[in-house]
Amino acid sequence: MSDATSHPEKMTGPTPDTAIRDAERQAESGKMVAADGRPLKASLGRALRRQKLRALMLIAPLLLFILLTFIAPIADMLFRSVENDIVELTLPRTVDALDDWEYDTGEVPDEDVFAALYYDLVVAAEFKTHTRLGSRLNYETTGISSLFRKTGRRVDRFDTDIYTDQFVALDPAWEDPGTWVALREVAGDALPETATAYDGWARVMVEEEGDDPAEEQPWDFVYTALYRDLAAQQTVPESIEGPMRALLEQAADAVPGFETVSIRQQFEDVDEDWTALSTWGTIKAYSPTFTSGYFLTAIDLKLTPAGIEQQDENQRIYITLFKRTIFMSVVITLSCIVLGYPVAFLLANLPTSKANVLLILVLLPFWTSLLVRTSAWKVLLQNQGVINDILVWIGLVSDSDRLVLINNQTGTIIAMTHILLPFMILPLYSVMQTINPSYVRAAKSLGATDWTAFWRVYFPQSVPGIGAGSILVFILAIGYYITPELVGGNTGTFISNRIAYHISSSLNWGLAAALGTILLVAVLILYWAYDRIVGIDNVKLG
């Protein structure tokens, strides 16, 4: 008898009776356990989580790539299409002061608004942000960019130094930086214009000049703000106490006798456009952090101080461009179907050796630069080009009536059909290869003609390839801009050409983002319509 038999306690595993009893106990308790004694459900859940985690780690690089190169740019485009914080950030006091002003009154804002603009522009001119603001508002009202540039160069030379001289003459303590540091500590809501003006000047000192505000005398616009606060309140606020109160009481008593200067007149001396309603209306209309102005412009409307209006007739171009883009993309897609289907059919039914040679010819354009192919079409399609010369030579057209094939829609459709044709042929060829030829032979054996067998048997099986090729060609065509730019002229360009113009030339990125967003939405709507009519499940690549 073995040792394991004679000594049961030395057996390495449970006896059959023990295993049966354990199973009976598990059945009675209603819980199954794994080999390690943990509940089976928990063990399976942990194993499943580990499996999902490993799968996630495998696709993490791809997800990160898609996030950085696709999702993030689209999100940035959507944000830029409504972003408009430059007005509020550059002219914060002016925006607040304009809250009580209405464009419909027909009157230019009062002195308080001009004072707020004065404080803002002095600071903005030091940070050079007034030029960016002028460029932004110039998209809406022509001439504002030069207005801000001109004013930015002269705003620090306004005649407001008269207030500085009078305060210093009243008490030399007003030219002591320490006095202003103490005043700022107690000013707050008691002297609001002074507090904000001093804060703006201090930021300039620290960030632009690299100086300590506690060691520098404030600029003239800070003294102007103090004068306006004291003149408006006439008495020193009760919240101000101590030595500063006595100094301010002295100044408050003297302020009514100060020689004054009109800040509005200072702006008017720089440029009379500062007294134009359109200037102030534009500033107020585009003062919110987010705006619909870019989207309105993209559909030939405009946001004005009086509300939403239609663009001038000579500026209504975007709706036309959207219609043209969709129409020409559809025509190019249909052209690719008509030309690509026979080629794909031939590829799928030729012997392998001959099909490979023909497939190389189909792929050959991919080995040539897009710019080279487009430039070649310019040579072929021009009035004295190869195509017109051949037509004249064979007598189809006269030399005086050569066809206009370039710088119009015709040239764009021809060139883009040639460029995008492989994207139609390859999906069709891939699907056609999977069609069993015995189906057509069976139809013919049952009495069907060649046309009937093709139309009733072969063609329906190739529709998924047509769907896949159509989506590829249409999506590529609707976003093309190089080929239309080179051969399209004025009537053959796409909306993408206008988007490229605003990105690279006019630098109106907000309008470009709005146009791109509308184009994206249009594509998604067409994709949804295609899915409803054809069914995206019927699209296959073989």
Side-chain angles (χ1 to χ4, degrees), residues 164-229:
T164 304
D165 296 339
Q166 291 178 95
F167 272 109
V168 172
L170 180 65
D171 194 318
W174 285 114
E175 63 180 349
D176 181 9
T179 301
W180 287 94
V181 173
L183 176 63
R184 179 61 187 91
E185 291 177 354
V186 298
D189 295 334
L191 302 171
E193 288 191 32
T194 305
T196 58
Y198 185 86
D199 289 344
W201 169 78
R203 188 163 68 93
V204 171
M205 287 293 100
V206 173
E207 298 181 17
E208 282 294 308
E209 304 293 336
D211 295 328
D212 184 1
E215 299 177 356
E216 301 291 333
Q217 181 182 357
W219 293 350
D220 294 334
F221 76 98
V222 182
Y223 286 91
T224 304
L226 177 60
Y227 164 78
R228 286 179 50 80
D229 276 333

Side-chain angles (χ1 to χ4, degrees), residues 387-466:
I387 294 178
N388 266 306
D389 286 344
I390 293 176
L391 294 176
V392 171
W393 178 66
I394 62 179
L396 288 180
V397 297
S398 64
D399 189 54
S400 59
D401 296 324
R402 289 173 175 257
L403 302 179
V404 181
L405 302 175
I406 197 72
N407 296 329
N408 53 25
Q409 292 187 16
T410 303
T412 301
I413 291 172
I414 292 174
M416 288 187 62
T417 299
H418 165 254
I419 291 170
L420 298 177
L421 190 57
F423 294 98
M424 178 64 70
I425 294 175
L426 293 177
L428 279 170
Y429 171 60
S430 179
V431 170
M432 288 178 178
Q433 273 193 318
T434 64
I435 300 176
N436 195 330
S438 62
Y439 297 155
V440 175
R441 290 197 298 268
K444 290 181 179 179
S445 68
L446 294 174
T449 62
D450 290 342
W451 170 251
T452 302
F454 168 79
W455 185 248
R456 300 290 297 276
V457 177
Y458 190 89
F459 181 79
Q461 297 182 78
S462 65
V463 168
I466 296 177

Side-chain angles (χ1 to χ4, degrees), residues 160-454:
T160 53
D161 57 344
I162 190 174
Y163 295 117
T164 304
D165 296 339
Q166 291 178 95
F167 272 109
V168 172
L170 180 65
D171 194 318
W174 285 114
E175 63 180 349
D176 181 9
T179 301
W180 287 94
V181 173
L183 176 63
R184 179 61 187 91
E185 291 177 354
V186 298
D189 295 334
L191 302 171
E193 288 191 32
T194 305
T196 58
Y198 185 86
D199 289 344
W201 169 78
R203 188 163 68 93
V204 171
M205 287 293 100
V206 173
E207 298 181 17
E208 282 294 308
E209 304 293 336
D211 295 328
D212 184 1
E215 299 177 356
E216 301 291 333
Q217 181 182 357
W219 293 350
D220 294 334
F221 76 98
V222 182
Y223 286 91
T224 304
L226 177 60
Y227 164 78
R228 286 179 50 80
D229 276 333
L230 294 176
Q233 299 182 16
Q234 296 182 352
T235 60
V236 180
E238 295 297 333
S239 59
I240 299 179
E241 300 176 351
M244 185 55 62
R245 182 176 184 82
L247 187 62
L248 286 174
E249 286 179 341
Q250 178 192 24
D253 293 338
V255 157
F258 274 16
E259 184 179 352
T260 62
V261 61
S262 171
I263 299 179
R264 170 178 171 171
Q265 186 61 48
Q266 298 295 306
F267 278 98
E268 190 174 351
D269 291 343
V270 174
D271 198 304
E272 291 185 354
D273 283 348
W274 283 116
T275 59
L277 281 174
S278 59
T279 301
W280 290 100
T282 301
I283 294 175
K284 181 166 184 177
Y286 288 89
S287 59
T289 305
F290 299 100
T291 180
S292 61
Y294 292 125
F295 279 102
L296 292 173
T297 303
I299 55 175
D300 294 336
L301 299 175
K302 59 182 177 180
L303 179 63
T304 68
I308 299 175
E309 298 177 0
Q310 197 169 29
Q311 290 279 8
D312 298 335
E313 189 172 355
N314 60 347
Q315 295 182 344
R316 301 173 196 169
I317 61 173
Y318 294 112
I319 295 296
T320 301
L321 283 174
F322 276 116
K323 291 179 179 178
R324 180 194 300 168
T325 299
I326 294 176
F327 168 75
M328 293 181 64
S329 297
V330 171
V331 172
I332 292 167
T333 302
L334 294 176
S335 301
C336 288
I337 293 174
V338 171
L339 297 176
Y341 195 96
V343 177
F345 180 83
L346 189 62
L347 279 169
N349 291 277
L350 279 177
T352 304
S353 58
K354 296 181 179 179
N356 288 339
V357 175
L358 185 58
L359 186 60
I360 291 175
L361 296 178
V362 171
L363 296 175
L364 190 60
F366 286 131
W367 304 341
T368 308
S369 169
L370 173 63
L371 189 60
V372 172
R373 281 180 280 165
T374 305
S375 300
W377 277 112
K378 285 180 65 71
V379 176
L380 292 171
L381 296 175
Q382 62 184 327
N383 194 38
Q384 300 296 326
V386 176
I387 294 178
N388 266 306
D389 286 344
I390 293 176
L391 294 176
V392 171
W393 178 66
I394 62 179
L396 288 180
V397 297
S398 64
D399 189 54
S400 59
D401 296 324
R402 289 173 175 257
L403 302 179
V404 181
L405 302 175
I406 197 72
N407 296 329
N408 53 25
Q409 292 187 16
T410 303
T412 301
I413 291 172
I414 292 174
M416 288 187 62
T417 299
H418 165 254
I419 291 170
L420 298 177
L421 190 57
F423 294 98
M424 178 64 70
I425 294 175
L426 293 177
L428 279 170
Y429 171 60
S430 179
V431 170
M432 288 178 178
Q433 273 193 318
T434 64
I435 300 176
N436 195 330
S438 62
Y439 297 155
V440 175
R441 290 197 298 268
K444 290 181 179 179
S445 68
L446 294 174
T449 62
D450 290 342
W451 170 251
T452 302
F454 168 79

Side-chain angles (χ1 to χ4, degrees), residues 514-527:
L515 292 171
T517 301
I518 294 175
L519 185 62
L520 174 63
V521 172
V523 170
L524 292 177
I525 292 174
L526 292 172
Y527 181 82

Side-chain angles (χ1 to χ4, degrees), residues 123-176:
V123 176
E126 292 298 320
F127 286 104
K128 305 296 188 296
T129 55
H130 68 296
T131 56
R132 292 178 55 242
L133 173 61
S135 299
R136 165 66 187 98
L137 296 179
N138 201 71
Y139 298 144
E140 316 304 333
T141 302
T142 304
I144 287 189
S145 177
S146 61
L147 177 64
F148 272 91
R149 291 177 185 274
K150 183 191 300 184
T151 308
R153 290 192 296 267
R154 295 180 54 180
V155 70
D156 60 341
R157 298 198 298 272
F158 279 8
D159 294 336
T160 53
D161 57 344
I162 190 174
Y163 295 117
T164 304
D165 296 339
Q166 291 178 95
F167 272 109
V168 172
L170 180 65
D171 194 318
W174 285 114
E175 63 180 349
D176 181 9

